[in-house]
Amino acid sequence: LLPDFADREKGPALRKELSAYLTGLGFSAEEVGAVSDHRAVVVAHKAMLYDRAQKAREDAQARNEPTAPVQKN
């Protein structure tokens, strides 16, 4: 579900970014390193993307820029 995670070029950056996101939420480095279930990684990745989208939306609203509607799956 996360092909970039296994990619030789994109994988290390994605893992580092996801690790920084999770430690920013209060997880310890040991907890992040102990994750072995791919489903937890997928959920964490989706949460990171969602938080980014919300932040971008808030920033755009603060600048009074129009935002695109969110598509629901």
Side-chain angles (χ1 to χ4, degrees):
L1 295 172
L2 286 174
D4 288 348
F5 206 73
D7 187 270
R8 287 182 181 228
E9 293 178 17
K10 297 177 185 176
L14 178 58
R15 285 190 288 277
K16 183 177 180 181
E17 185 177 23
L18 194 53
S19 178
Y21 171 75
L22 290 172
T23 54
L25 291 177
F27 288 90
S28 69
E30 293 79 25
E31 290 172 320
V32 173
V35 174
S36 60
D37 189 338
H38 77 281
R39 296 171 297 177
V41 175
V42 170
V43 169
H45 184 251
K46 286 183 178 187
M48 181 178 72
L49 294 177
Y50 177 81
D51 283 353
R52 264 196 211 150
Q54 290 300 99
K55 175 81 169 108
R57 185 178 204 92
E58 290 169 6
D59 291 347
Q61 287 174 342
R63 293 187 306 265
N64 293 324
E65 294 178 6
T67 57
V70 175
Q71 294 182 353
K72 296 185 180 186
N73 292 333

